Amino acid sequence: MNSQGFVTSRAARCEKVSGDVVVIGGGLTGVCCALTAARRGTKVVLVQDRPVLGGNASSEVRLWALGATSHMGNNNRWSREGGAIDEIMTENVFRNKEGNPVIFDTVLLDLVMREPNIRMLLNTVVYKVGKSSDDTIDYVVAYNPINETRYEIKGRFFADCSGDGLVSYLAGAPYRMGSEDRAVYGEGFTPDKQTYGELLGHTILFYMKDTGKPVEYVAPDFALRDVEKHISKIHNDEYFSIHHHGCKYWWIEYGGRLDTIHDSEDIKRELWKVVYGIWNYIKNSGKFPEMATYTLEWVGTIPGKRESRRMQGIYTLTQQDIIEQRVHYDAVSYGGWAIDLHPSNGVYADGRACNQWHSKGVYQIPYRCYLGANIRNLMFGGRIMSSSHVANGSTRVMCTSASGGQAIGMALSLCVEKNRMPADYVSRDLIGELQSALIQDGQYIPGLDLHSEDNLLHSAEVAASSTFLFDGYASNGSFRPLRFSTASLFPVKGAMPEISLRVRAEEPTELKVELRTALRDNGYTPDNTLETVTIPLEKEEQQISFKFRSEFPESRYVFVCFMANEKVALGESDDLVSGTTTVLNQINLAVSNYGRQDPPEDIGIESFEFWCPLRRPAGKNIAMALSPSQEIFSLDLMRDSLSRPVGATNAWAASLDDNAPELTLRWDKPRRVSEIKLFFDTDFDHAMETVQMGHSENVMPFCVRDYEILDAEDRCLAKVSGNYQAVNHIRLAEPVETDSLRIRLSHPSKRIPATLFHIVIK
């Protein structure tokens, strides 16, 4: 107090918090990092500067989360990310298949709030880093203006998932912003900094709705006028439509010529100017009388960011890693989104709003991209991971970032458990421990099939009540015109079977059928034509048969390609079989898919065709019969750690004639069992966009819904009804000693066999 008795100042309330791992940033990367670590018993503090979780995927921004599946518009079959992010995406589809962003908020909050090992601090902004030495962070200081509390948060390890790399920056970690010169990494797609720019901008989205009665709109004074003059994309049907809202307006982008961190408020105001100007144009230009009853329901209040700082890690991912799909000994995650660069002038740029160039498949991301050399107890993930500007055009998307978040959470949890440092796992001797732990948690790491020595599955004799034989797909009686070349995609080992099917022809013509495979191992780009047959057709519905001569000593996916002929229609089937699908050589403008990709010769990108599936319910298989039936499922495949189709189905499936499918595992002596993980098929080929787009099903049709597990004494260890998740983790209340387990499953439907990818027993 001063001499008059008045208080001169007060300090904000201070609370000291501590945890084993402090995660800064509550976007999907931070959430997956926190969940992964906490579920292994690690004490986690999750610090988020917004009132909800999700970052760009939250209701505050409303961008749909995507990754390697790329709207199902590329050749990355069965590529949806696994582990924690798959659990989130699958949970959202189950609760929220319509894509309501507010409900997605609750999905994330629910998952985090039920974890007792997570202390979540929302509305809490980190602004200071304290270090115990030059290379070690001791604590961070944050402030919550809602509860007027300053937090001093102490941790053993820190995960910077903040989007802008705030903690890494404050701690003194090296970083880059903008594009490198071409000479730095030799990347052919490096943009010209003067004409194209070197940063991607921010976006603000808007929603509209039809009220059913006339609604007037008076634009704010700051709204952009003469929209048609300033925004050339208004004249392009690919970008602008009065029926678009939300993510369809991703091209409302600005800020690439500015500092995308410190100029964010200026960028936001410019984006508001554009959004309200476009809405004013829609409502008041007089060109769209059909919009008279529409109102502006929501406009974002914070921009969605694409790019700012990128931290410099031990390894920097580049264009070549993506396009060449380079192999890394320390791969812990992967990507598959196109290299997607935007002109820095954003919404005011003429021409295309983005340049997307796809790779022929998914690519590995090494562990070394998530940690640097100068801060011992820090890892970083999300769009700030160590990558070039060009590679960041692919790695920045949310599901790819979240997959990396799981890798960080697992690594830091292992560091806590084993008293190690993050850099220890750079060692070739230790990285397998981290990779195996991730795979057993549902993470997919391309190119890795690791057998864990402590998995009792590998010491068990496994028997099945039946095994499904793939003999094609039964007809549902409908026919689809062959406007686009269409291929049946399934694995074959040995000789190609004879193929029979019914077709319709409007007039006498020929049907050309090609047998193709991928030149790249385990790829799904049909760029290798092995054989061609040409079949004469009469003007009628008719049965045809043909056989290719090719044989495959090892299991390999083949494309039986029926080449486009609008005079021909192929029979359709409602049958669904795990690890098989039908793909079409058609267009998907949402991801710059024009049926094929033909980049300029000097940018280091490959030319190839796109063959992609249709979404259900439109996505149906070609009705056809195979002779002999194909043994594409087996108990041996289930022993692989791969929990998705890669080169083979990697699964066991029961015969549809088997009314009580059952697996039996026997050991030579009683074993102590405390936990069991079952890996089911939730259709990793289906993109699960979180908001706006909507899905036809809330449960993937391949997924086993009901099952029970019994021991040698017929005691029920677990009984589950209504499952819809890929990974089911059963933790027994008390370990049991038994020399056998029986797993009884129910078929998902009368036409879809019960399928199981993998089992982990400990």
Side-chain angles (χ1 to χ4, degrees):
M1 291 187 182
N2 62 15
S3 58
Q4 286 77 38
F6 296 108
V7 175
T8 55
S9 65
R10 294 185 176 95
R13 173 178 175 269
C14 182
E15 181 179 345
K16 294 188 177 182
V17 181
S18 64
D20 296 319
V21 174
V22 180
V23 181
I24 297 89
L28 293 185
T29 307
V31 167
C32 289
C33 178
L35 288 173
T36 301
R39 288 173 175 176
R40 294 182 64 91
T42 305
K43 298 297 182 183
V44 176
V45 182
L46 176 60
V47 187
Q48 164 70 328
D49 61 359
R50 304 302 307 167
V52 291
L53 299 169
N56 281 343
S58 75
S59 62
E60 291 191 308
V61 181
R62 306 194 180 191
L63 180 66
W64 47 41
L66 274 172
T69 54
S70 191
H71 289 299
M72 295 165 66
N74 60 16
N75 291 347
N76 299 345
R77 301 282 63 76
W78 297 292
S79 67
R80 196 177 71 243
E81 293 73 15
I85 186 59
D86 178 62
E87 178 186 349
I88 289 168
M89 304 292 275
T90 306
E91 188 69 37
N92 184 61
V93 168
F94 180 73
R95 300 189 192 188
N96 180 32
K97 68 184 180 70
E98 297 77 19
N100 184 326
V102 176
I103 295 177
F104 184 60
D105 286 350
T106 68
V107 169
L108 296 177
L109 288 166
D110 215 11
L111 286 169
V112 170
M113 291 172 67
R114 73 173 62 152
E115 289 298 328
N117 288 322
I118 297 179
R119 170 76 186 275
M120 179 175 64
L121 302 175
L122 297 178
N123 293 306
T124 303
V125 182
V126 171
Y127 64 89
K128 182 180 179 182
V129 167
K131 299 169 78 173
S132 58
S133 63
D134 287 345
D135 63 357
T136 304
I137 300 173
D138 186 34
Y139 63 89
V140 296
V141 183
Y143 183 69
N144 183 333
I146 307 300
N147 63 11
E148 295 184 353
T149 301
R150 181 170 63 90
Y151 294 95
E152 293 182 5
I153 308 166
K154 189 177 180 68
R156 288 180 61 184
F157 300 99
F158 293 81
D160 188 347
C161 307
S162 62
D164 286 333
L166 175 64
V167 170
S168 303
Y169 172 78
L170 294 175
Y175 70 95
R176 279 180 169 155
M177 284 185 71
S179 176
E180 297 85 358
D181 292 331
R182 180 175 291 203
V184 175
Y185 296 118
E187 297 169 304
F189 194 31
T190 302
D192 180 274
K193 296 182 181 183
Q194 298 302 314
T195 60
Y196 203 77
E198 52 179 322
L199 275 172
L200 281 70
H202 304 352
T203 288
I204 280 180
L205 304 172
F206 68 89
Y207 276 32
M208 62 184 180
K209 72 175 181 180
D210 188 354
T211 67
K213 57 185 178 181
V215 176
E216 293 185 358
Y217 176 67
V218 179
D221 289 344
F222 62 77
L224 180 67
R225 312 293 167 167
D226 298 323
V227 166
E228 289 182 299
K229 175 182 176 182
H230 296 289
I231 302 176
S232 63
K233 293 172 184 64
I234 288 290
H235 307 287
N236 188 331
D237 292 342
E238 182 181 343
Y239 296 113
F240 175 74
S241 169
I242 57 172
H243 302 295
H244 287 172
H245 71 178
C247 297
K248 294 289 188 179
Y249 277 101
W250 58 267
W251 53 269
I252 298 179
E253 180 177 355
Y254 182 74
R257 297 284 185 185
L258 302 175
D259 183 328
T260 53
I261 296 175
H262 299 106
D263 293 334
S264 281
E265 284 296 301
D266 294 334
I267 294 169
K268 178 181 72 176
R269 283 189 286 270
E270 186 66 22
L271 287 168
W272 274 343
K273 175 181 173 181
V274 172
V275 166
Y276 288 105
I278 289 176
W279 186 248
N280 185 43
Y281 170 68
I282 291 172
K283 288 291 291 184
N284 295 325
S285 67
K287 296 183 176 182
F288 312 108
E290 62 270 44
M291 300 300 291
T293 59
Y294 280 76
T295 190
L296 191 58
E297 182 182 27
W298 170 87
V299 175
T301 54
I302 61 171
K305 288 190 177 184
R306 290 182 175 87
E307 183 182 13
S308 55
R309 298 185 185 102
R310 302 187 314 281
M311 308 315 299
Q312 287 187 253
I314 298 174
Y315 185 88
T316 299
L317 200 79
T318 66
Q319 172 183 328
Q320 293 90 328
D321 290 295
I322 294 172
I323 299 303
E324 298 170 17
Q325 294 168 35
R326 290 178 174 175
V327 175
H328 300 280
Y329 77 92
D330 59 336
V332 291
S333 182
Y334 71 100
W337 186 263
I339 298 179
D340 183 4
L341 300 184
H342 301 193
S344 291
N345 289 342
V347 70
Y348 296 122
D350 293 328
R352 298 201 58 76
C354 71
N355 279 283
Q356 290 187 331
W357 298 113
H358 299 259
S359 62
K360 286 186 182 179
V362 298
Y363 57 88
Q364 295 180 344
I365 300 177
Y367 176 70
R368 289 163 292 160
C369 289
Y370 299 113
L371 72 162
N374 68 327
I375 309 294
R376 300 175 63 245
N377 62 340
L378 171 70
M379 296 189 72
F380 36 75
R383 68 172 183 263
I384 66 171
M385 64 160 270
S386 182
S387 69
S388 68
H389 168 74
V390 173
N392 180 258
S394 174
T395 62
R396 63 184 171 82
V397 295
M398 283 186 277
C399 289
T400 303
S401 295
S403 178
Q406 173 154 349
I408 293 169
M410 183 66 73
L412 295 181
S413 180
L414 289 173
C415 287
V416 172
E417 292 174 24
K418 300 179 181 294
N419 196 29
R420 291 181 177 140
M421 297 303 291
D424 293 341
Y425 286 99
V426 174
S427 163
R428 292 177 183 269
D429 294 330
L430 289 180
I431 188 63
E433 178 184 288
L434 171 58
Q435 292 166 328
S436 181
L438 285 167
I439 288 171
Q440 290 189 53
D441 231 24
Q443 180 93 310
Y444 171 55
I445 306 174
L448 290 189
D449 176 17
L450 300 179
H451 290 261
S452 175
E453 294 181 0
D454 60 353
N455 183 0
L456 294 176
L457 170 69
H458 300 308
S459 59
E461 178 185 318
V462 185
S465 58
S466 66
T467 298
F468 182 87
L469 294 175
F470 178 54
D471 59 3
Y473 311 98
S475 173
N476 64 14
S478 61
F479 285 79
R480 180 186 293 272
L482 193 56
R483 296 191 182 96
F484 301 96
S485 295
T486 302
S488 184
L489 176 61
F490 55 90
V492 171
K493 183 178 181 181
M496 279 293 297
E498 182 178 32
I499 299 173
S500 302
L501 69 157
R502 294 197 70 78
V503 301
R504 283 179 180 171
E506 296 178 359
E507 60 183 64
T509 186
E510 292 181 337
L511 176 61
K512 183 180 177 183
V513 188
E514 296 180 352
L515 177 64
R516 299 189 188 184
T517 59
L519 287 171
R520 189 165 284 171
D521 286 345
N522 297 327
Y524 297 104
T525 298
D527 48 2
N528 182 30
T529 302
L530 300 177
E531 298 181 61
T532 301
V533 297
T534 301
I535 304 164
L537 301 179
E538 302 295 329
K539 181 185 176 182
E540 59 185 9
E541 183 177 322
Q542 58 215 276
Q543 185 82 11
I544 63 171
S545 297
F546 57 92
K547 191 175 191 324
F548 295 110
R549 300 183 302 276
S550 297
E551 296 188 10
F552 303 94
E554 300 295 333
S555 179
R556 188 175 186 87
Y557 270 92
V558 300
F559 295 75
V560 179
C561 304
F562 300 88
M563 307 310 288
N565 184 339
E566 294 193 2
K567 301 171 185 176
V568 177
L570 303 182
E572 291 187 319
S573 175
D574 293 326
D575 287 358
L576 296 174
V577 177
S578 292
T580 74
T581 191
T582 296
V583 292
L584 292 78
N585 178 219
Q586 63 175 37
I587 293 170
N588 185 337
L589 294 180
V591 290
S592 298
N593 172 345
Y594 299 91
R596 66 172 292 115
Q597 172 172 283
D598 287 307
E601 292 184 359
D602 61 345
I603 68 169
I605 309 287
E606 296 174 288
S607 296
F608 57 90
E609 294 177 341
F610 292 100
W611 291 71
C612 311
L614 296 174
R615 292 176 187 258
R616 292 183 298 272
K620 297 181 184 295
N621 286 310
I622 302 168
M624 62 183 187
L626 306 181
S627 180
S629 299
Q630 299 296 291
E631 298 178 0
I632 65 173
F633 299 99
S634 74
L635 294 173
D636 287 340
L637 287 171
M638 192 188 63
R639 291 183 184 274
D640 295 339
S641 67
L642 296 165
S643 55
R644 64 185 64 211
V646 182
T649 61
N650 297 316
W652 164 80
S655 171
L656 284 170
D657 296 332
D658 185 351
N659 295 322
E662 184 173 282
L663 288 173
T664 303
L665 295 86
R666 297 187 186 279
W667 292 275
D668 56 358
K669 61 183 179 181
R671 303 299 175 107
R672 180 181 175 88
V673 176
S674 58
E675 60 179 302
I676 303 165
K677 286 184 180 180
L678 303 179
F679 294 77
F680 296 113
D681 187 356
T682 53
D683 190 6
F684 285 99
D685 210 25
H686 179 73
M688 290 184 171
E689 293 90 346
T690 47
V691 299
Q692 185 176 342
M693 196 159 183
H695 304 277
S696 62
E697 307 138 334
N698 70 338
V699 176
M700 295 299 103
F702 302 95
C703 187
V704 170
R705 306 298 310 281
D706 308 321
Y707 65 90
E708 59 181 341
I709 304 174
L710 302 96
D711 69 4
E713 306 299 324
D714 278 345
R715 291 174 297 191
C716 184
L717 304 182
K719 186 172 184 177
V720 174
S721 298
N723 170 56
Y724 51 88
Q725 286 284 357
V727 182
N728 280 212
H729 191 178
I730 297 100
R731 296 179 176 89
L732 303 182
E734 295 290 338
V736 299
E737 295 279 342
T738 185
D739 64 1
S740 71
L741 290 175
R742 284 186 294 145
I743 305 172
R744 293 175 175 170
L745 308 101
S746 297
H747 295 297
S749 76
K750 293 180 179 179
R751 305 192 69 158
I752 303 176
T755 303
L756 188 59
F757 281 122
H758 188 50
I759 308 173
V760 173
I761 305 170
K762 294 184 177 181

